[in-house]
Amino acid sequence: MTGQHLTDEQFTELLSGDCPFQAIQHLKTCAQCHCEFEQVQASIDDFATLGLRWAEQRPAPRISTPSVWVRGWHALSTRTAAAALLAAILFGAYQQKRMQAPEVGPLVATTSDRPESQVADDNRLMMAIDKEIRWQADSPIAVEHLAEGQLHSRLSRKLAN
Amino acid sequence: MDAAHVSSAIHFVGQEREASELDDIEQLVHRYRARLLRFVAFSIGEQDLAESIVQDCFMKAYNARATFRGECTVHTWLHRIALNLIRDHQRTKKFRFWSSFRKTALDITEISSTLPSAAGTPEKNLLMRERVAQVAEALKELSFNQRTVFLMRFQEGMGIKEISLATDISANTVKTHLHRAIKTVREKIGDLK
């Protein structure tokens, strides 16, 4: 107590329901503190009572929860959507792999996969080039069976490419 | 903050999960709506928004009922959810546009009009209305935390420990907020005497 009356702390304790002995004794003897305490307490009590009465009179909107059927359908639709999404992702990945496949193929192919006729053609072409470069020199491989005109036309096509 | 987080943060031991109460939303609304509405309405000062928050609160509580482990009372749990919704609202202000069209500030005159005429003498009723208006005016001067603690203590009758759990504020801080709130209310009532 400060001087004659209750401190703020004691007042708070009294209102909060804690009842310090000294404060209660003071309330019994001090009319001013007693009157103030009763007034504040009555104000707070009235505030709570009227507030509750007001809230009780407000119309309550109906809060509806989804029925079992709706919840079941919702769960089913969610699972279906998840499955569809997964299928779409897998299909997309598959398609992408398929589109990439032709480009990857030739990179991994070996000479053993090529037909013999193509190898023979390439050999002939290389020999012709060799012959053209070393015009006067003897080629170790005979290319006489190739027609002169045929050789030139093929060589020029290859060089153009 | 969702309701699952709410329940995990509260530790009350020795209370049974009030399963049937939470499973029946109509019973839940019937039992707690008025008190929740009163708390939210006086916390934010807007009645339509308060009703919307209370409705959200019940839906959240119902949807998260499996996470309620009975570590506190349903009453405390609901108030904690409501308080988090109020905080969310204050952070996001998502209802600002809407509320600009629907100014539904809490009207103390309307609240006072709920007093039944047969409750007492006209003088008594008038006095009661004046007291309510005084406290409502004082509440406007409090900070959000002070107001929350004051409402929980004196409207909802919650103890310091319960308030501490519901607000996620330490018990000592709750006491400090309560002390300041009472001081302000006391001064306001004294001024208007």
Side-chain angles (χ1 to χ4, degrees):
Chain A
M1 277 170 282
T2 52
Q4 301 295 316
H5 299 295
L6 290 174
T7 62
D8 287 336
E9 286 77 14
Q10 287 173 322
F11 207 88
T12 303
E13 284 173 345
L14 281 170
L15 274 177
S16 302
D18 297 333
C19 299
F21 178 75
Q22 209 178 356
I24 294 170
Q25 289 302 313
H26 178 75
L27 276 187
K28 286 177 182 171
T29 55
C30 178
Q32 189 182 336
C33 285
H34 186 262
C35 180
E36 188 185 5
F37 176 74
E38 283 207 328
Q39 189 180 11
V40 173
Q41 193 170 38
S43 299
I44 293 172
D45 289 347
D46 290 346
F47 173 73
T49 307
L50 271 188
L52 186 62
R53 197 167 288 157
W54 166 80
E56 282 170 345
Q57 288 183 2
R58 298 284 295 179
R62 184 174 172 76
I63 300 174
S64 57
T65 53
S67 68
V68 177
W69 290 105
V70 172
R71 281 202 301 269
W73 182 85
H74 183 258
L76 185 67
S77 63
T78 307
R79 284 186 200 125
T80 309
L85 185 66
L86 185 65
I89 290 168
L90 289 174
F91 182 72
Y94 172 71
Q95 286 288 20
Q96 193 177 8
K97 199 172 180 180
R98 268 189 63 190
M99 285 172 70
Q100 285 173 350
E103 292 172 15
V104 174
L107 292 174
V108 294
T110 60
T111 51
S112 61
D113 298 333
R114 294 158 68 188
E116 281 187 18
S117 60
Q118 194 182 348
V119 174
D121 282 350
D122 287 347
N123 283 339
R124 279 188 220 109
L125 178 64
M126 294 303 293
M127 282 184 288
I129 292 168
D130 184 52
K131 190 179 178 185
E132 289 289 325
I133 292 170
R134 294 185 291 147
W135 193 253
Q136 298 299 322
D138 292 335
S139 173
I141 303 166
V143 291
E144 290 78 12
H145 60 277
L146 283 174
E148 195 72 19
Q150 206 179 1
L151 181 66
H152 274 286
S153 63
R154 181 173 290 188
L155 181 61
S156 52
R157 270 206 308 275
K158 287 285 179 186
L159 288 174
N161 289 334
Chain B
M1 189 174 182
D2 62 6
H5 185 71
V6 169
S7 77
S8 67
I10 299 178
H11 294 285
F12 256 71
V13 182
Q15 289 182 9
E16 295 294 321
R17 179 183 184 272
E18 296 168 64
S20 60
E21 193 177 12
L22 283 172
D23 290 340
D24 186 350
I25 194 165
E26 284 185 11
Q27 190 191 346
L28 199 68
V29 170
H30 177 72
R31 184 175 287 186
Y32 295 105
R33 183 181 174 275
R35 292 170 73 181
L36 265 183
L37 180 62
R38 176 180 63 172
F39 168 70
V40 177
F42 281 101
S43 289
I44 59 174
E46 281 185 60
Q47 54 191 36
D48 279 352
L49 181 58
E51 294 199 1
S52 172
I53 287 175
V54 168
Q55 199 159 342
D56 281 357
C57 176
F58 281 117
M59 287 311 295
K60 270 188 182 287
Y62 183 76
N63 290 333
R65 64 192 187 282
T67 65
F68 179 71
R69 298 198 298 269
E71 293 163 337
C72 66
T73 62
V74 172
H75 177 253
T76 305
W77 194 58
L78 287 173
H79 275 77
R80 176 151 182 155
I81 296 172
L83 184 61
N84 286 327
L85 286 169
I86 294 170
R87 284 173 177 160
D88 285 348
H89 157 71
Q90 289 189 329
R91 267 195 295 271
T92 61
K93 298 286 182 191
K94 61 184 174 183
F95 292 107
R96 185 181 281 171
F97 175 80
W98 178 247
S99 65
S100 67
F101 283 93
R102 303 183 68 185
K103 280 287 176 195
T104 53
L106 207 56
D107 186 3
I108 292 300
T109 314
E110 185 195 332
I111 291 171
S112 299
S113 70
T114 60
L115 189 66
S117 54
T121 61
E123 290 80 15
K124 258 190 169 179
N125 288 347
L126 184 66
L127 188 64
M128 193 173 181
R129 281 171 191 156
E130 278 183 3
R131 283 175 184 157
V132 171
Q134 284 169 0
V135 178
E137 278 299 311
L139 280 185
K140 289 179 188 172
E141 293 181 13
L142 302 181
S143 70
F144 176 73
N145 281 337
Q146 288 171 2
R147 189 161 54 241
T148 300
V149 168
F150 181 86
L151 291 174
M152 283 185 169
R153 178 68 192 93
F154 293 113
Q155 272 195 343
E156 306 306 316
M158 294 162 75
I160 298 292
K161 194 177 176 183
E162 259 186 303
I163 296 171
S164 172
L165 288 168
T167 55
D168 212 11
I169 297 174
S170 73
N172 281 336
T173 311
V174 167
K175 283 181 186 172
T176 306
H177 284 314
L178 189 61
H179 171 69
R180 287 179 184 160
I182 289 175
K183 194 178 174 191
T184 305
V185 171
R186 187 183 167 194
E187 283 169 2
K188 194 78 183 174
I189 291 171
D191 288 346
L192 295 174
K193 242 188 318 191

